[in-house]
Amino acid sequence: MTGIEREGFMMTCFIPKKYKFSAVHAGIKQDKTREDLALIVSEVPATAAGVYTRNIVCAAPVVVDRQRTPASEIRAVVINSGNANACTGERGIQDARNMAKFAAEQIGAEETSTLVMSTGIIGHFLPMENVQAGILKALSILSPTQEGMESVARGMMTTDTVMKLFTAEVMVEGVPVRIAVMGKGAGMIAPNMGTFLGVIATDAFLSAGSAQKLLQKVADQTINCVTVDGHVSTNDTFLMLANGAAFSEEKGSEFAEIPDAADSPEFCAELLRLCTQLAREMANDGEGASHMITIHVRGLKSDADAKKIARAVADSPLVKCACTGNDPNWGRIVSAAGYAGIPFDAQKVSLRVNDFLLFEKGSPAKFDAPAVSASMKENREICVELFFEEGSGNACVWTSDLTVDYVHINADYHT
C-alpha cells in the first residue's frame, strides 16, 4: 500500500489488481512538462460501461465508445488531452478508431476491446504520428503503481489545477476489492456532464448489464449534480472497468460463481462515496473559482423537482457573483428558485447560508450581514440551503462562483 498526499495529509492508495497505468508527453500539448497521452490496461478482459454527453454535437471518441459499451471483453483505455477530436467529421471518427486499433495491436488485443477518450481544443485533427509515438512510449512504462495512476490522472487535465484521483478498498463477500476513480473537469461543466472525462477501475466483478445500470445511477447522483457554467460539452465520457481480478484465486474454490458487486451494498456505497468526492473536487476546481458552492434543496414534491431548482440556483450568474463578493444576497437565490419552472408556495420558503437564517417563510429574516459575509469570505465552501414545504423531495448540487479569472481563462483559451 502506498499513500497519496492531498490537502496536507496522507491517504492510502489502493491499486486495483491486474491493471497497469502510464502517461507521457506526446507533443499534443505545447507544454512539454505536461502529460497528454495516457493508458489504462487490464491484464485480463474487463467488463466496461459508459455514460456520455447528451449534447447532439458529440466528439468522435464518444461515437466510438458508445458503439462498444457496455461490453465484457475490454482490455484498455487510451486517453489524450490537448485535442478534443471534436467536430472533425469522418476523419475524426477514423482517427479515434485508429487510435484504439494501434493500442490494441500493441497489447495483443482486438481493436474493439480498446476504448478512447479525448479532451481539449475542438475542431482540430489529432496529430496521429504523435498519438502513436505516445502510445508506444506509454506502453514501455506501464506499471501497477501509484505513480502510474497519478500520471494518468494528470494526463487527462486541461485547465484543471489539480489531479483528481480517489481510491478505496471494500469487502465483497469476504474478499477485499479495490476501486480507483479518476477524472478531469474544471470548465464547460453542466449536469448531464460537461467537459468531463472519468474512469473507474475496479478488480470487482460486474456483469455488463449491472455495470451499465450502476454507472448511470452513480453518475446521476454525483457527476450530473455538478455545474460550473451550464455549458454541456461535446466530449464528456464516464467509463467503468471491472475485471474481477480480486476473485481470481477464489474462483472454483470458495465461490462456485463470482458475486456481482452491484449486489453488494458496501461496494455500491463506497463507489458512490468516491464519485461524490470526484464531483465535489470538480466543483472546487472550477475555472477561476474562489468558492465551491454546495446547494441543498429540501421539501419539494419530488427529487427531480428539487434538483431542477438546485440547478437553477447553481447556474445563476448573479448568485455566483454574489458568492464571489461574499455577499449574502438572499434575493438572488430565492428569485432563481422561483424561475426554475417548479410550482411551490412562495410564502413557505426559507433559506440558510452557512447555517445563517436569511429568509424565513416568505420574508427576510433578521441577520448580521457582516457576520454572514465574513463566514463566506473565510470559507472556501459556501453552503446554501433552501427549504420548502411541498413534500419529501431533496437534491444536492455542487457549483463554483464566477470570478474575473474565469472570464480571463475562457477569453484566452483558443477554440
Side-chain angles (χ1 to χ4, degrees), residues 287-317:
E287 288 175 341
S290 62
H291 289 97
M292 182 183 86
I293 309 164
T294 299
I295 300 168
H296 293 280
V297 174
R298 300 180 174 93
L300 270 298
K301 290 180 180 178
S302 69
D303 291 349
D305 285 355
K307 191 171 184 179
K308 192 168 183 179
I309 286 180
R311 285 170 56 172
V313 174
D315 281 332
S316 166

Side-chain angles (χ1 to χ4, degrees), residues 97-111:
R97 288 175 179 155
N98 287 338
M99 183 173 163
K101 181 180 179 180
F102 186 80
E105 289 173 346
Q106 307 311 309
I107 62 172
E110 296 292 327
E111 174 187 350

Side-chain angles (χ1 to χ4, degrees), residues 5-7 29 54 60 63 69 111-112 129 159-161 193 197 209 222 248 264 277 284-285 324 327 334 342 348 352:
E5 187 172 359
R6 184 183 296 278
E7 295 179 357
K29 292 175 181 172
R54 296 183 186 177
V63 174
T69 57
E111 174 187 350
T112 55
E129 289 186 5
T159 58
D160 306 65
T161 64
M193 300 194 296
L197 300 185
T222 59
S248 58
S264 166
Q277 285 185 288
N284 192 38
D285 195 30
T324 300
D327 176 14
V334 173
I342 301 300
K348 296 181 179 179
R352 287 182 178 271

Side-chain angles (χ1 to χ4, degrees), residues 338-380:
Y339 64 62
I342 301 300
F344 58 83
D345 187 343
Q347 301 307 313
K348 296 181 179 179
V349 180
S350 297
L351 166 68
R352 287 182 178 271
V353 172
N354 286 359
D355 210 32
F356 290 89
L357 181 64
L358 307 189
F359 192 79
E360 185 176 21
K361 303 288 186 180
S363 299
K366 292 182 179 180
F367 63 92
D368 185 339
V372 182
S373 181
S375 172
M376 297 169 73
K377 184 176 181 179
E378 292 165 3
N379 292 282
R380 171 80 178 183

Side-chain angles (χ1 to χ4, degrees), residues 183-197:
K184 64 83 57 179
M188 286 185 78
I189 299 293
N192 302 328
M193 300 194 296
T195 306
F196 165 73
L197 300 185

